[in-house]
Amino acid sequence: MKDWSKTRPARGLTLSVIAASVLAWGSATAGVTDADIVNDATTTGDVVSFGLGTQGQRYSTLDKINTSTVGNLVPAWTMSFGGEKQRGQESQPLVHDGRLFVTASYSRLFAFDAMTGKKLWKYEHRLPDGIMPCCDVINRGAALYDNLVIFGTLDAQLLAFDVETGKRVWREKVDDYHAGYSMSAAPIIVNGMVISGVSGGEFGVIGRLEARDAKTGKLKWIRPTVEGHMGYKFDDQGNKVENGISGTTNATWPGDLWQTGGAATWNGATYDPETNLIFVGTGNPAPWNSWNRPGDNLFSSSTVAINPDTGKIVWHYQNTPHDGWDFDGVNEFVSFDYKDPKSGKVIKAGGKADRNGFFFVNDRTNGKLLNAFPFVKQITWAEKIDLATGRPVYVDANRPGNPAKAGDGKKGEVVFSAPSFLGGKNQMQMAYNPGTGLFYVPANEWGMDIWNEPIAYKKGAAYLGAGFTIKATHEDYIGALRAIDPVKGEIVWENKNYAPLWGGVLTTAGGLTFYGTPEGYLKALDAKTGKELWSFQVGTGIVAPPITWEQDGEQFIAVAAGWGGAVPLWGGDVAKRVNYLEQGGSIWVFKLHKS
Ligand code: CA
Ligand code: CA
């Protein structure tokens, strides 16, 4: 077992000695540093960032658990999140210095001994009545920095706790939950700053990214993701100074619609130290009814690259200009390098499996589109993405009809759209394995009937102007874990799943790809072939990404379990089809059986 006394002052020290050493101890203790964050992907003894490295590859160099040994993977421990509060568990755990941190539904945070599962402390946030999370009371994870563990709550606060004691160190109100703001994404750390977004695109909030001093919570900059809004910087005294408007007011938005324009940054960000860029995906423009807002509606449904030093947008690429289907472009933009088959040059790229059904590859230095191809079988809203213009070729007849043209002016023409608004991929994170050169994408095949209705903004009310019913498009499956070659633009293999996939992916140098299913199976597939090599039933659906680390010579796998998220709430016919799935709330840890 871990000897905790090594990381704190010896008990015999006098108070004055402790007081005198507090400043030095702050840096001498094994707190998480910026170097730890930047190197996270290659340091196997810990997982100190969302994405197992801020580039978001979810790849581990560990190979003790591999295609030959994975059959011996057995549970090491499991712990319940307890209480009556179950619902969706979408959180990625973090591990540092022998402690495992995991957030849970209803804005809870737990610290466990990573080896034994002994509960060290927990925090249960007191949520007010009237919070408005769109898509279940979930949380996707915390960030670690110095001696702090930091996470966002459903009432739009950011909280930091001492990793050892669980005592709250700082608390900042991010925004007004009465207006529909909430927080569900895992923050990331960039150069000592905690970077966080906001949720609430269904309520006409203004998407933005914020940078705060991770040790104090004090704001450094704010960058709105709706064109027309002013960005701000904060000096050391906390004074707010203008830092340039995002885009050009009214260039891509009519009238004052941009003032409630959505583009929520609800799924967090990735950061690439090589280019010093933060990449954040943005949600739908508000309202859903696109007839209200002619134009591209920047920077909605886009990848936006922000310089962390300036808080300014360096480039953007819009995956769905003038979105009319709730195709939030919040899917993670994952940095990877590849050799250009023609020139042999190494390309610094980023991949994104977008909710709209296309897989996009952009040059991550400037946003230029390099490749775009479908990763789902049915896409109705566009014929293709034109690589020359970088824009979709729309199928105009498959945009929901204009309610103003309907006989009664109340309900526009109903169209069938695939993917459904729950997306070819949603919040669940893909992984990239540099060994195979493949992305592993938890994809779903489904469609929806969708129509538009008149709508006006009202604070704190749903701001959609649309109705919908989600439908399965295949009898035998909805989900499919797909291995995707980003250069050739091909699906290399797939492993179908009856229920829609909603959990993230982990891939390893052991030649494995791990992911969980709503049916409750954590699975390991051969990363090259997709062959299923191992599975284990955790007793409730998995909608979270697994992690791996090594401790005392053993490799561990951990995943949060608990069915929920958007599907049971919004899934229409699909929700009925999977209503036999049971809720839960627990963390599971696995290791190789020693014979
Ligand atoms: Ca690490
Ligand atoms: Ca949305």
Side-chain angles (χ1 to χ4, degrees):
M1 249 191 86
K2 170 82 192 163
D3 179 6
W4 298 111
S5 65
K6 281 181 187 154
T7 61
R8 57 173 89 126
R11 287 174 201 278
L13 292 177
T14 64
L15 273 180
S16 63
V17 171
I18 291 176
S21 67
V22 158
L23 279 179
W25 180 48
S27 53
T29 190
V32 174
T33 64
D34 285 302
D36 292 338
I37 304 275
V38 166
N39 298 325
D40 192 20
T42 52
T43 52
T44 52
D46 60 23
V47 176
V48 295
S49 62
F50 190 75
L52 284 84
T54 58
Q55 291 183 322
Q57 290 190 348
R58 296 183 181 277
Y59 169 76
S60 171
T61 56
L62 287 171
D63 61 2
K64 286 195 173 99
I65 300 169
N66 57 46
T67 51
S68 307
T69 62
V70 71
N72 297 326
L73 200 57
V74 293
W77 58 267
T78 179
M79 279 295 277
S80 171
F81 296 144
E84 296 164 17
K85 297 168 174 174
Q86 300 199 328
R87 306 289 289 266
Q89 312 296 346
E90 295 186 354
S91 179
Q92 182 213 295
L94 298 168
V95 175
H96 184 251
D97 205 13
R99 298 185 186 94
L100 183 148
F101 303 93
V102 61
T103 62
S105 55
Y106 294 93
S107 302
R108 290 176 294 169
L109 172 62
F110 291 81
F112 297 103
D113 181 306
M115 287 290 265
T116 66
K118 182 188 173 191
K119 189 167 77 182
L120 303 173
W121 55 263
K122 74 170 168 180
Y123 171 78
E124 299 205 28
H125 191 63
R126 188 173 298 180
L127 287 166
D129 292 337
I131 53 167
M132 284 179 277
C134 84
C135 305
D136 203 1
V137 286
I138 58 90
N139 183 276
R140 300 200 178 84
L144 291 173
Y145 191 69
D146 196 36
N147 62 335
L148 299 175
V149 52
I150 305 164
F151 86 112
T153 62
L154 292 167
D155 59 347
Q157 297 188 54
L158 206 53
L159 309 175
F161 301 85
D162 184 296
V163 290
E164 194 171 321
T165 62
K167 207 177 147 214
R168 199 173 70 209
V169 176
W170 57 258
R171 172 173 74 155
E172 293 289 326
K173 180 183 167 180
V174 172
D175 217 310
D176 179 7
Y177 67 83
H178 295 104
Y181 284 92
S182 63
M183 294 178 84
S184 52
I188 61 166
I189 301 292
V190 177
N191 304 333
M193 299 184 292
V194 57
I195 307 293
S196 60
V198 291
S199 309
E202 272 55 58
F203 302 98
V205 306
I206 298 301
R208 64 176 189 258
L209 215 57
E210 292 186 351
R212 294 167 184 272
D213 184 317
K215 290 191 186 181
T216 65
K218 295 303 166 204
L219 274 166
K220 305 285 274 187
W221 52 257
I222 294 176
R223 175 50 51 192
T225 50
V226 179
E227 184 168 63
H229 290 266
M230 180 62 74
Y232 293 95
K233 277 202 296 200
F234 298 80
D235 65 22
D236 291 343
Q237 284 72 47
N239 300 309
K240 180 170 161 179
V241 291
E242 290 189 349
N243 190 30
I245 289 172
S246 297
T248 306
T249 310
N250 283 138
T252 62
W253 286 89
D256 58 4
L257 267 284
W258 58 277
Q259 293 187 22
T260 49
T265 47
W266 60 261
N267 210 21
T270 57
Y271 169 69
D272 173 38
E274 278 186 52
T275 54
N276 192 32
L277 290 173
I278 297 169
F279 306 110
V280 64
T282 58
N284 61 285
W288 287 18
N289 180 350
S290 63
W291 301 98
N292 282 24
R293 43 174 175 75
D296 280 356
N297 313 133
L298 290 176
F299 296 89
S300 64
S301 303
S302 300
T303 302
V304 179
I306 296 172
N307 182 318
D309 305 328
T310 64
K312 293 198 170 180
I313 296 172
V314 175
W315 60 257
H316 71 275
Y317 175 80
Q318 195 169 34
N319 304 93
T320 315
H322 196 223
D323 166 44
W325 304 266
D326 189 35
F327 287 150
D328 295 39
V330 294
N331 308 95
E332 65 287 356
F333 183 83
V334 177
S335 296
F336 74 107
D337 295 345
Y338 70 91
K339 211 170 254 181
D340 181 61
K342 283 179 203 145
S343 68
K345 258 177 50 184
V346 173
I347 308 290
K348 288 190 190 308
K352 177 174 177 176
D354 198 274
R355 187 145 142 175
N356 70 20
F358 290 98
F359 193 100
F360 294 85
V361 180
N362 295 81
D363 183 325
R364 72 179 186 269
T365 66
N366 59 22
K368 185 180 184 294
L369 184 67
L370 300 172
N371 203 2
F373 55 91
F375 68 94
V376 296
K377 306 230 160 127
Q378 191 180 12
I379 296 179
T380 58
W381 67 278
E383 282 173 33
K384 61 174 183 177
I385 307 295
D386 184 330
L387 293 181
T389 63
R391 293 179 67 90
V393 178
Y394 294 101
V395 180
D396 289 332
N398 287 341
R399 180 180 291 272
N402 187 349
K405 299 235 167 104
D408 60 2
K410 284 184 183 154
K411 181 176 176 180
E413 186 197 351
V414 181
V415 299
F416 175 78
S417 168
S420 77
F421 73 85
L422 289 175
K425 182 170 112 27
N426 200 288
Q427 62 88 26
M428 54 286 197
Q429 307 80 11
M430 63 183 181
Y432 175 75
N433 190 319
T436 61
L438 301 175
F439 279 94
Y440 302 98
V441 179
N444 288 315
E445 298 285 345
W446 44 17
M448 64 179 167
D449 287 336
I450 181 169
W451 61 93
N452 284 162
E453 298 160 352
I455 182 78
Y457 175 78
K458 188 165 163 270
K459 183 185 169 183
Y463 187 42
L464 302 186
F468 48 81
T469 307
I470 292 193
K471 300 175 161 188
T473 48
H474 297 82
E475 276 301 310
D476 56 332
Y477 78 105
I478 297 171
L481 198 283
R482 290 189 171 135
I484 287 177
D485 184 325
V487 183
K488 290 185 183 153
E490 289 172 1
I491 298 171
V492 177
W493 53 255
E494 68 175 358
N495 194 340
K496 291 177 181 170
N497 200 70
Y498 179 75
L501 291 178
W502 208 257
V505 184
L506 165 74
T507 187
T508 72
L512 296 170
T513 295
F514 289 89
Y515 69 107
T517 70
E519 289 90 337
Y521 292 98
L522 181 64
K523 296 187 175 193
L525 310 186
D526 184 317
K528 281 201 186 115
T529 65
K531 187 178 176 217
E532 191 170 312
L533 300 177
W534 174 86
S535 76
F536 184 87
Q537 170 59 249
V538 299
T540 174
I542 298 172
V543 292
I547 62 162
T548 188
W549 76 99
E550 125 184 276
Q551 198 167 331
D552 295 350
E554 291 182 291
Q555 184 183 352
F556 294 83
I557 306 279
V559 71
W563 169 238
V567 174
L569 297 173
W570 296 95
D573 291 353
V574 170
K576 283 180 211 153
R577 178 165 142 168
V578 297
N579 66 5
Y580 65 94
L581 298 169
E582 300 293 357
Q583 295 184 1
S586 54
I587 176 85
W588 282 83
V589 176
F590 300 86
K591 65 176 187 173
L592 291 176
H593 175 65
K594 279 188 205 157
S595 52

